[in-house]
């Protein structure tokens, strides 16, 4: 997928492709927390996906902006989890 705007969903057909695959949850990682990550999180939630931000897999040039955006996203748009907890939850969800 080629992304030309801050959100991975804007103008990419990503939401439709995920729905065709039966996806209901999106895990977001990347740069920059206050820009592309936040835009993608807001759009994911707006497309009715359960949205999880991998807290230790995002970053920003400014620690203050990073922390403020994580706080705001957790309050309004997404669950925040460390990558290890996400992997553990996914592993537990897969039948043996």
């Amino acid at each position: 997928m080629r992304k030309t705007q801050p959100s991975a969903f804007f103008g990419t057909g990503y939401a439709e492709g995920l729905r065709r695959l039966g996806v209901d949850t999106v895990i977001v990682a990347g740069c920059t927390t206050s820009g592309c990550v936040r835009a993608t999180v807001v759009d994911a939630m707006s497309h009715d996906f359960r949205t999880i931000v991998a807290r230790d897999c995002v970053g920003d040039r400014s620690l203050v902006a990073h922390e403020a955006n994580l706080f705001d996203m957790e309050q309004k748009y997404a669950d925040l989890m460390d990558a290890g907890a996400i992997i553990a939850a996914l592993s537990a969800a897969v039948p043996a």
Side-chain angles (χ1 to χ4, degrees):
M1 171 184 66
R2 182 177 170 162
K3 180 176 89 68
T4 60
Q5 300 298 319
S7 171
F9 289 92
F10 186 85
T12 62
Y14 192 40
E16 295 77 16
L18 292 174
R19 279 196 198 91
R20 276 194 301 274
L21 295 171
V23 172
D24 64 0
T25 302
V26 176
I27 300 167
V28 180
C31 305
T32 301
T33 309
S34 62
C36 295
V37 171
R38 184 185 179 98
T40 297
V41 165
V42 171
D43 280 357
M45 184 273 313
S46 297
H47 282 285
D48 296 321
F49 290 103
R50 177 180 177 212
T51 307
I52 301 169
V53 175
R55 170 189 359 245
D56 53 340
C57 297
V58 296
D60 208 302
R61 292 174 296 272
S62 163
L63 184 57
V64 172
H66 172 73
E67 293 295 333
N69 278 276
L70 286 178
F71 175 82
D72 195 52
M73 285 187 284
E74 187 172 35
Q75 297 303 306
K76 300 175 186 175
Y77 308 117
D79 295 317
L80 271 60
M81 298 172 69
D82 290 330
I86 294 169
I87 292 166
L90 291 172
S91 296
V94 176

